[in-house]
Amino acid sequence: MPSEMTIGRVAKAAGCKVQTVRYYEQIGLVPAPPRSEGNQRLYGQAAVDRLLFIRHARELGFSLPAIRDLIGLSDNPDRPCDAVDAIAKAQLAEVDLRLQRLQALRGELERMIAQCRGGRIAECRVIEVLGDHSLCAAESHDPASPSL
Amino acid sequence: MPSEMTIGRVAKAAGCKVQTVRYYEQIGLVPAPPRSEGNQRLYGQAAVDRLLFIRHARELGFSLPAIRDLIGLSDNPDRPCDAVDAIAKAQLAEVDLRLQRLQALRGELERMIAQCRGGRIAECRVIEVLGDHSLCAAESHDPASPSL
DNA sequence: TCTAAGAGCTACAGTCGCTGTAGCATCAAG
DNA sequence: CTTGATGCTACAGCGACTGTAGCTCTTAGA
């Protein structure tokens, strides 16, 4: 017996909200399960596994379309896994990009905060720095030396 | 003379889209400018400055409500800048959190990709790792069955 | 067996920060 | 004077959910 569960239990088992499960069903990311006599969804372990897969991939930053691709690929296990590799590598590249930008931002924020000396706002460097775009390294995504 | 500009010019000068400028006006982040005889918005340099301020803060990851706060504070320059400091520090803390999580994700992605040996999907570690939450550093859950 | 709380159902609105579209009016250049 | 770019308003849509309203269903206790 696949130990049937209500939506609340699968959601809990997968670590997401009931609405999210229904949403994933709505957009076709998980199949619509059979219903009980009282019209309630009944899930088996496979549903939990798929939800865990989705959640894990989401935590890794994969978009829902990318996850849909991954699911489609994993449902055809005889093809070569180049496509899977490509999706994962694209994801890694995006993560690297986000990391770079975040690190640059972190540097700027620290610089800003270091210059806030607790005086009046009129002298506050945070406001000033935010207003002066020329001091900012963000525009010319140059990881080398923001100067200041 | 504040050298009046149409919305297209300010948008270009501030590096954002025309719609974005109108959106910021709509939500009260920039003041509604005077209009020309033909009902077109006419902006001065101050508008460009404020937009640059907003854009810069957005690039640093500040939310629009936080930016609204910063603008409100900078419009009252006689108060102490503790509040500004607090907002910037909260932002830094959030950035640090995102950095941590992203770095963890990066590690997992690299591990996944390293294990994709170009075989068939059936043997692909990427899919497997995504399905097996127990290999994941993010959160500890039941080491349930992998394999989607 | 009854009852009341809790969980499930559908359908839809709201979130955030924009972006795109439709269908007009206006403006600047040739 | 015409044409094409730009401006206007109003609204819909994006992604990935989350929340709400107003029901129905299930389940545990009295």
Side-chain angles (χ1 to χ4, degrees), chain A residues 49 55-56 59-60 73-74 77-79 81 96 103 105-106 116 119-122 129-130 133 136 139, chain B residues 53 55-56 59-60 73 77-79 81 96 103 105-106 116 119-122 129-130 133 136 141 145 148:
Chain A
D49 290 344
R55 188 165 83 86
H56 197 176
E59 279 170 1
L60 287 167
L73 289 166
S74 76
D78 285 335
R79 293 195 290 165
C81 82
D96 274 342
Q103 259 144 3
L105 300 188
R106 210 206 104 91
C116 182
R120 288 183 309 123
I121 287 172
V129 167
L130 280 176
H133 210 66
C136 170
E139 199 159 30
Chain B
F53 179 94
R55 187 163 83 87
H56 196 176
E59 278 170 2
L60 287 167
L73 290 167
D78 285 333
R79 294 195 289 164
C81 83
D96 274 343
Q103 257 145 5
L105 299 188
R106 210 205 104 92
C116 182
R120 290 182 309 121
I121 287 173
V129 167
L130 280 176
H133 210 68
C136 171
H141 267 273
S145 56
L148 172 71

Side-chain angles (χ1 to χ4, degrees), chain A residues 12-15 45-46 49-62 70-71 73-82 84-85 88-92 95-96 98-99 101-106 108-110 112-113 116-124 126-139, chain B residues 49 52-62 70-71 73-82 84-85 88-92 95-96 98-99 101-110 112-113 116-124 126-139 141-142 144-148:
Chain A
K12 199 169 189 180
Q45 183 58 38
D49 290 344
R50 173 154 291 192
L51 283 172
L52 282 173
F53 179 94
I54 293 169
R55 188 165 83 86
H56 197 176
R58 287 291 301 132
E59 279 170 1
L60 287 167
F62 290 88
L70 287 172
I71 288 175
L73 289 166
S74 76
D75 284 347
N76 297 301
D78 285 335
R79 293 195 290 165
C81 82
D82 303 357
V84 175
D85 192 46
K89 275 182 178 156
Q91 189 56 33
L92 177 61
V95 166
D96 274 342
R98 279 198 271 162
L99 269 173
R101 305 195 73 223
L102 265 187
Q103 259 144 3
L105 300 188
R106 210 206 104 91
E108 281 203 74
L109 281 171
E110 273 217 319
M112 270 171 42
I113 290 167
C116 182
R117 291 276 168 261
R120 288 183 309 123
I121 287 172
E123 302 136 9
C124 183
V126 173
I127 294 286
E128 200 175 319
V129 167
L130 280 176
D132 190 353
H133 210 66
S134 68
L135 302 175
C136 170
E139 199 159 30
Chain B
D49 291 344
L52 282 172
F53 179 94
I54 294 169
R55 187 163 83 87
H56 196 176
R58 288 290 300 134
E59 278 170 2
L60 287 167
F62 290 87
L70 287 172
I71 288 175
L73 290 167
S74 76
D75 284 348
N76 298 300
D78 285 333
R79 294 195 289 164
C81 83
D82 302 358
V84 174
D85 192 46
K89 275 182 178 156
Q91 189 54 32
L92 178 63
V95 166
D96 274 343
R98 279 196 273 163
L99 268 173
R101 305 196 71 221
L102 265 187
Q103 257 145 5
L105 299 188
R106 210 205 104 92
E108 280 202 76
L109 281 172
E110 273 216 320
M112 270 171 43
I113 290 166
C116 182
R117 291 275 168 263
R120 290 182 309 121
I121 287 173
E123 301 138 6
C124 184
V126 173
I127 294 288
E128 200 175 319
V129 167
L130 280 176
D132 190 351
H133 210 68
S134 69
L135 301 175
C136 171
E139 233 172 346
H141 267 273
D142 291 338
S145 56
S147 78
L148 172 71

Side-chain angles (χ1 to χ4, degrees), chain B residues 23-87:
Chain B
Y23 170 71
Y24 286 163
E25 176 184 328
Q26 188 188 314
I27 63 169
L29 213 53
V30 302
R35 302 288 184 112
S36 76
E37 230 174 278
N39 198 35
Q40 300 197 347
R41 292 167 177 85
L42 292 179
Y43 297 91
Q45 182 57 38
V48 177
D49 291 344
R50 172 155 291 192
L51 283 172
L52 282 172
F53 179 94
I54 294 169
R55 187 163 83 87
H56 196 176
R58 288 290 300 134
E59 278 170 2
L60 287 167
F62 290 87
S63 69
L64 291 188
I67 293 171
R68 199 193 301 273
D69 287 349
L70 287 172
I71 288 175
L73 290 167
S74 76
D75 284 348
N76 298 300
D78 285 333
R79 294 195 289 164
C81 83
D82 302 358
V84 174
D85 192 46
I87 292 174

